[in-house]
Amino acid sequence: MPRATPILTGTLLLCVATLADAAGTDSIVQAWPTRPSVRDAALEARVEAALKGLSLRQKIGQMTQPEIRAITPDEVRDYAIGTVLNGGGGWPGQDRNATPARWRALSEQFQAAARQATPGVPLLWGTDAVHGHNNVRGATLFPHHIALGATRDADLVRDIGRATASAVRASGLHWTFAPTLAVVQDVRWGRTYESFGADPALVRRLGQAEVEGLQDGLAQGRGVLATAKHFIADGGTRRGIDQGVSHATATELAQVHGAGYLGALDAGVQTVMASFSSWTDSAGYVEHGKMHGNAALLTGVLKDRLAFDGLVVSDWDGIAQLPGCTVDDCPAAINAGIDIVMVPFHWKPFIANTVKAVEQGRIPMARIDDAVRRILRVKFGVGMQPAVPATVEAMQAPELARRAVRESLVLLKNRPGLLPLRPTARVLVVGAAADSLPHQSGGWSLTWQGRDTTNADFPQGTTLLAALRQRLGGPQVAFDADGSRSDPARFDAVVAVLAESPYAEGEGDIRITDNLRHSRRQPQDLALLQRVAGRGAPVVTLLYSGRPLYVNDLANHSDAFIAAWLPGSEGAGLVDALVAPADGRPWPGFTGRLPFPWPAGPCQFSSHEAKPWWPVGGGLSGKETQAGGKLLPEPADPQPICPL
Ligand code: GLC
C-alpha cells in the first residue's frame, strides 16, 4: 500500500475541508425559504449605464460612508463620496439645537457636492431615527420598540413609520437605520428596548409594518429608506453581551432571528445592516465568527437565497472587528457581502486601502460592481426632492404618539377599583423621573445615550407630572420628588414614577456580576416607596425601563404596578390610562400585553423562563373585580450573583 505523500494528504484534507465548508454553507442556506428575484428592466438599464460611467475611485466613493463630523461638502466632491451618516449625538455644526432648516441646508450642500463628482448619482444621508427623528430638537419622540411590541398594533406601527419618515424628510435626510428586528433572548442586553419582543411572529408582523410605513411614498419624496438590522441574531448573544456571540442552530437562525427579515423583505426593505455580533452554530459548535465577515449569511442567504437586491451596510467601524482587518482596511468584509462601509472617521485611508486591494486583486472587480449596482439600484428608487416642509411641525405627531403610549402600558398589579383615578382626585406625585423627559425617553434621544440632556432639550415634550397637572388641575396635584416632605394621607392617591437611568447599546448591558433587581441599581426607588406606602393613600407605581426587571420588592410596596417602558415625549398618554376620561367616555383600561416574560426572580433574564411572574402576553385590564395577587415572594439573599 503506497504511503500517501504529504502533498496528497494535504490536498485530500483541503478537499475534505472545502466539501465540509460547502456542506456547511448549504445547510445554512437551506434552512431558509427561497424568494423570487424581481427586477425592473428599465431600472436595471439605468443602473448599468450609470455604473459604466464610474471610475474605480468613484465606485469606492459610493461604498464609503463618513460621519458628518468628519467630512465637508468639498471633501464629498473631491472624494466622490456617495453617502454620509450622523451618529447618535451628531448634528449639523455640532449644534444640538440645529433647526430642520439647518439640517436641510447641510444636506443640500452634501447633495450638490456629490452631484458635481458623480453627475446623476445622488447622495444618501442616513440617521438613527429609531423612535421618531430623535436626533433633532423638537421632533416627537415615540415610545421605543419594546413599548410598541406591547401594543401588538401593526396599524399603529405603520402610522408611526409614516410619521417618522415625514420627520426625516423634513430635515432633508433620506434613510433611517431602523427597524431593529432583534428577537431578544436575554434581557440583560442593553438594546432590549430596541426589540419588539421575544415572539418571532410579533417581530415579523411589526417589523413589516414599520418598513411599509417608513418607505411609503419613497419615490415621491415622502418616505425614507428603511434598514433591517442587525443581520443577524444581534439579540441572541450569550448573557445578553452586546456585540457578543449568538449560539443558535442554522434553523433557529432562520426561524427565530430571521423572522423579522422575512417580514421586512415582504415590505420591500431596501437596506440591511450587518450585526456586530458573531454566530456559533450550536448544532456542531462551529464558530462562524463575526457577521461582518460571514459570506454564507450576507451573500448566500440574504442576497442569493432570499433574493435581496438592495444594499448591505456595515455597522459603525464594524469591519475593524474582523480578523486581519483594521478600521480602514478590510477586503474580507467587502468580499463577504458588505456593500457600503460605515467608516465614520477613517474614510480617507479606507478609500486608499480599498482601491489598492482591488488593484492587487484582493477584492474582485465583480464584487465592487455588484456592490455599486446595489447602491445605484437603491438610490434611483428614492425621490430626492423632499415632499415635506423643513419645519418642526412636520416632525411632530403628538396625538399618534400619545395613543401609542396609552396602548403600550402593561398593568402587572392592581387593587380592584383603584383605577382609573377620578378627575376630581387629589394626587401626590413622587419620583424625580415623574418630571424628567430624559428618563421618559431613554437612549437615542437627542444624544446617543439619552444622557446629558434636560427637559429644556425637549420643548415639544410633556412629562407625566405636567400632563397630570393639565388633566386634574394644578391645585389637585402635588409633587415631592423624594416623598420626604408630604403626608400621603392628605391625598386620594400617590403616583410614584421609578426609572432606569437612560442608556444605549452596550452601556446598558446588565453585567453577569449583576442581576435584574431594579432596586440594586436604583436603591432610591425602593426607599421612595418605603417612605410613601401604607401611609393612608394607595400607591400607583409606574416604571420607566428598557426591559423587564425584577421588581417584587417594589410591587410589594405598590397597590398598582405599571410597566411603562420608555414612553417618549408624550406623557399625556400615561394620564389617559391613569385617569377616567373627562367627557364621560368609557375608560379604555390597560390594553398593553407583555412582549417579554416579566421575571419572578432576579436571575430570570431569559425570554423563555418557565415560571415568570407574568408570561409573554400577560397583563391586567384594570377592570378585574378579583383582588390582586398576594404579596410576591422575595428571595432570602436579595443580591444573588446569577448562575452563568
Ligand atoms: C451604532 C449601532 C447601529 C447604528 C449605527 C449608526 O453603533 O449599532 O444600530 O445604526 O451605529 O449610529
Side-chain angles (χ1 to χ4, degrees):
M1 179 68 170
R3 285 173 55 79
T5 64
I7 291 175
L8 179 59
T9 306
T11 304
L12 279 175
L13 286 174
L14 180 63
C15 287
V16 167
T18 305
L19 286 172
D21 184 50
T25 298
D26 285 351
S27 67
I28 293 168
V29 168
Q30 282 156 18
W32 294 77
T34 57
R35 293 174 54 82
S37 174
V38 179
R39 291 289 167 86
D40 173 299
L43 173 59
E44 293 307 306
R46 186 180 172 195
V47 166
E48 288 307 318
L51 180 68
K52 281 192 179 62
L54 297 177
S55 67
L56 174 57
R57 275 193 170 277
Q58 287 174 318
K59 292 176 181 177
I60 304 303
Q62 290 295 309
M63 297 172 66
T64 305
Q65 187 179 55
E67 217 274 354
I68 61 168
R69 284 167 276 190
I71 192 166
T72 64
D74 285 351
E75 289 173 318
V76 163
R77 180 196 61 225
D78 298 344
Y79 288 83
I81 297 296
T83 176
V84 298
L85 86 145
N86 68 280
W91 312 287
Q94 261 329 87
D95 174 5
R96 69 168 64 190
N97 298 321
T99 63
R102 186 167 177 193
W103 282 80
R104 187 116 132 193
L106 179 58
S107 184
E108 286 165 359
Q109 288 173 27
F110 282 137
Q111 194 65 239
R115 288 178 187 277
Q116 280 183 281
T118 51
V121 178
L123 169 138
L124 297 177
W125 180 341
T127 189
D128 294 278
V130 296
H131 65 131
H133 198 356
N134 38 262
N135 292 282
V136 184
R137 178 185 172 87
T140 294
L141 298 181
F142 292 95
H144 273 289
H145 270 186
I146 192 170
L148 302 184
T151 72
R152 297 155 299 154
D153 186 340
D155 293 337
L156 170 70
V157 171
R158 190 175 300 104
D159 288 346
I160 289 174
R162 287 195 186 95
T164 300
S166 173
V168 173
R169 283 288 195 166
S171 66
L173 277 56
H174 321 92
W175 180 10
T176 180
F177 304 129
T180 291
L181 298 170
V183 181
V184 176
Q185 304 300 306
D186 186 316
V187 297
R188 287 177 290 185
W189 189 36
R191 307 193 74 164
T192 297
Y193 66 77
E194 296 185 62
S195 164
F196 288 119
D199 173 7
L202 179 69
V203 172
R204 176 169 183 164
R205 189 161 62 85
L206 299 187
Q208 179 169 345
E210 183 166 340
V211 172
E212 288 167 351
L214 285 170
Q215 296 192 163
D216 183 22
L218 181 65
Q220 290 75 36
R222 291 193 325 272
V224 295
L225 291 169
T227 307
K229 75 180 186 180
H230 309 79
F231 190 82
I232 190 170
D234 52 344
T237 57
R238 294 196 78 185
R239 303 180 188 125
I241 296 170
D242 188 45
Q243 305 187 13
V245 184
S246 293
H247 289 244
T249 64
T251 301
E252 287 164 344
L253 219 53
Q255 296 181 0
V256 175
H257 301 288
Y261 293 87
L262 298 179
L265 288 167
D266 285 347
V269 72
Q270 293 286 289
T271 82
V272 171
M273 185 180 290
S275 178
F276 278 122
S277 55
S278 304
W279 172 47
T280 291
D281 185 342
S282 46
Y285 208 82
V286 178
E287 295 181 359
H288 290 270
K290 286 283 179 180
M291 277 307 305
H292 275 67
N294 192 313
L297 287 163
L298 291 175
T299 300
V301 168
L302 183 61
K303 295 181 176 180
D304 295 343
R305 183 80 171 185
L306 298 176
F308 173 62
D309 63 1
L311 66 88
V312 176
V313 59
S314 69
D315 204 335
W316 187 282
D317 283 338
I319 62 172
Q321 297 185 19
L322 290 191
C325 287
T326 59
V327 71
D328 56 18
D329 188 5
C330 191
I334 294 171
N335 289 336
I338 300 285
D339 302 308
I340 287 183
V341 179
M342 188 186 292
V343 50
F345 300 102
H346 302 84
W347 55 273
K348 286 181 184 172
F350 168 77
I351 291 172
N353 292 331
T354 306
V355 167
K356 190 188 306 176
V358 177
E359 289 167 343
Q360 293 173 349
R362 290 180 286 122
I363 302 176
M365 193 65 201
R367 174 72 271 275
I368 298 297
D369 285 346
D370 173 56
V372 177
R373 273 194 193 93
R374 291 171 176 275
I375 294 166
L376 293 171
R377 188 178 293 134
V378 170
K379 287 185 170 185
F380 290 157
V382 180
M384 295 309 290
Q385 186 52 43
V388 180
T391 63
V392 172
E393 293 72 25
M395 299 196 303
Q396 296 179 341
E399 287 310 305
L400 181 62
R402 178 173 177 171
R403 174 185 148 206
V405 172
R406 183 180 58 72
E407 286 190 23
S408 69
L409 303 178
V410 182
L411 181 62
L412 300 178
K413 178 182 179 183
N414 190 31
R415 194 182 80 187
L418 171 55
L419 296 171
L421 302 176
R422 299 189 316 279
T424 57
R426 290 167 303 128
V427 176
L428 170 61
V429 178
V430 297
D435 195 34
S436 169
L437 287 165
H439 286 89
Q440 199 169 296
S441 304
W444 297 102
S445 299
L446 203 61
T447 64
W448 177 44
Q449 291 293 318
R451 295 199 287 261
D452 313 319
T453 53
T454 67
N455 287 352
D457 286 305
F458 306 96
Q460 77 285 13
T462 307
T463 64
L464 178 139
L465 176 65
L468 208 50
R469 282 178 167 151
Q470 287 165 11
R471 183 75 176 68
L472 300 180
Q476 291 178 223
V477 178
F479 179 49
D480 178 0
D482 67 1
S484 63
R485 296 183 307 282
S486 312
D487 174 7
R490 294 179 47 244
F491 298 89
D492 298 307
V494 176
V495 171
V497 181
L498 318 179
E500 285 194 296
S501 298
Y503 54 79
E505 301 193 44
E507 294 197 28
D509 284 3
I510 292 181
R511 307 289 179 222
I512 55 174
T513 54
D514 200 343
N515 65 44
L516 285 180
R517 178 190 289 270
H518 172 73
S519 56
R520 191 175 198 211
R521 282 172 296 283
Q522 307 289 346
Q524 77 284 355
D525 283 351
L526 176 57
L528 174 70
L529 291 181
Q530 290 168 334
R531 207 169 287 133
V532 298
R535 289 193 48 206
V539 177
V540 179
T541 299
L542 293 93
L543 174 65
Y544 295 162
S545 70
R547 57 189 140 213
L549 290 165
Y550 174 70
V551 298
N552 283 16
D553 51 345
L554 306 173
N556 284 341
H557 287 87
S558 307
D559 297 277
F561 196 94
I562 298 160
W565 315 115
L566 297 170
S569 58
E570 306 310 316
L574 300 165
V575 173
D576 291 341
L578 291 174
V579 180
D583 57 10
R585 278 178 295 125
W587 178 59
F590 288 79
T591 56
R593 295 293 179 267
L594 287 175
F596 289 100
W598 197 277
C603 300
Q604 286 193 349
F605 31 72
S606 166
S607 294
H608 310 288
E609 287 298 338
K611 294 182 178 176
W613 179 18
W614 285 98
V616 171
L620 299 168
S621 69
K623 300 177 179 176
E624 290 78 8
T625 53
Q626 298 304 317
K630 56 189 180 308
L631 275 183
L632 296 166
E634 293 196 44
D637 166 9
Q639 311 288 6
I641 298 295
C642 301
L644 286 180

